[in-house]
Amino acid sequence: MSPIDMLPLWRNDENTFRDDTVKGCCMSKVWAGTVFVGVTVEEEGKKQTYHAMYTINIDLVNLRIAQDVTVNNVTQSTIALCDKSGGGTVYYFTRATKQCRKYKPPQCPINPDPLCFPSNGNLIASLSLGAGPGALWTQLWGYRAGEMATDVLLTPGNCVPVFIESERNSAQSTFYSGSLFSNVTLSIPDPSVFTPPPYCSQEENEEGEAPTFDHHDLGINAIFPKFSLFR
């Protein structure tokens, strides 16, 4: 049973609605945090489960993104930067082995739009997490798009998600993802995260076609259903 499954679902209780309900809210264009992701996919009787930890720094004002993805104790990193000419550079690298590949797409590789939650969601519940003065006030919203159902637990006012889960069931396959957000700040604590390591500037690094690493895309759509950080 997932954390969302354990929450009370008061879909028809008008007392759960408050004046500060959030509809169609968007996250800040600048934020950083750690996201723990679990993904389960079952297809043709085969089940695969992935767990990943994302350390994310997003600055959509200056169009730059830095992220570390850790899966099975292996961390792979991405830095994406846009330039004034409309192009950009994406660095894929592994610090442990000092391997780096550089990709220069013809246009800015970053989606400039912030993460927004649709205005057609249903407010399921207003929840207080914890006890006493330090309790966290949250709201649980539900969304459905085709076969995909998504629940978002967020803090109203700043639209910061606490937990997102998505589930899709069809005759061919099932998909489940859960993403826990932690240590979120609406700023970039250390701007140096956008500076590629020195070994990424060496001449032997390749340019042209986008390289492929195992875990760079894992969980992006799981964290943000129907949303991508990159174009």
Side-chain angles (χ1 to χ4, degrees):
M1 179 175 292
S2 73
I4 290 291
D5 291 329
M6 293 185 283
L7 294 174
L9 303 183
W10 302 320
R11 293 183 183 271
N12 299 315
D13 185 353
E14 294 183 357
N15 293 326
T16 63
F17 288 75
R18 289 174 35 141
D19 293 337
D20 57 354
T21 56
V22 179
K23 281 208 172 195
C25 71
C26 296
M27 283 191 71
S28 169
K29 283 195 168 188
V30 179
W31 66 277
T34 302
V35 186
F36 298 91
V37 183
V39 180
T40 298
V41 179
E42 186 170 359
E43 192 171 14
E44 297 180 349
K46 296 181 180 179
K47 181 182 289 187
Q48 292 181 299
T49 300
Y50 307 92
H51 293 91
M53 181 181 74
Y54 280 76
T55 302
I56 302 176
N57 290 267
I58 297 177
D59 179 0
L60 299 182
V61 175
N62 297 296
L63 293 177
R64 52 186 185 172
I65 290 174
Q67 69 172 19
D68 294 336
V69 187
T70 301
V71 179
N72 295 329
N73 296 319
V74 176
T75 300
Q76 295 177 335
S77 304
T78 305
I79 294 176
L81 307 170
C82 295
D83 55 44
K84 294 181 180 180
S85 66
T89 306
V90 183
Y91 300 89
Y92 300 89
F93 56 95
T94 304
R95 292 186 177 89
T97 59
K98 293 187 177 181
Q99 292 178 308
C100 181
R101 291 293 180 265
K102 182 170 59 176
Y103 168 52
K104 295 186 72 66
Q107 65 175 356
C108 171
I110 297 173
N111 179 357
D113 299 321
L115 170 64
C116 294
F117 300 105
S119 60
N120 61 347
N122 295 315
L123 178 60
I124 299 172
S126 296
L127 304 168
S128 176
L129 304 181
L136 180 66
W137 173 252
T138 65
Q139 292 177 338
L140 178 62
W141 289 85
Y143 303 91
R144 181 172 293 276
E147 295 178 340
M148 181 74 77
T150 300
D151 289 324
V152 179
L153 186 68
L154 55 78
T155 54
N158 56 20
C159 199
V160 172
V162 177
F163 189 84
I164 299 177
E165 78 161 3
S166 295
E167 187 172 9
R168 183 186 66 237
N169 293 291
S170 67
Q172 293 77 29
S173 63
T174 61
F175 168 89
Y176 171 83
S177 71
S179 304
L180 177 65
F181 289 69
S182 65
N183 301 322
V184 175
T185 63
L186 301 183
S187 63
I188 304 299
D190 180 11
S192 69
V193 297
F194 301 112
T195 302
Y199 50 84
C200 280
S201 62
Q202 297 174 3
E203 293 183 359
E204 61 265 31
N205 290 329
E206 299 173 357
E207 297 185 8
E209 294 297 321
T212 300
F213 280 128
D214 291 340
H215 307 316
H216 281 289
D217 293 328
L218 173 64
I220 287 293
N221 288 330
I223 299 174
F224 310 120
K226 299 192 179 298
F227 174 84
S228 177
L229 295 176
F230 305 105
R231 289 181 175 179

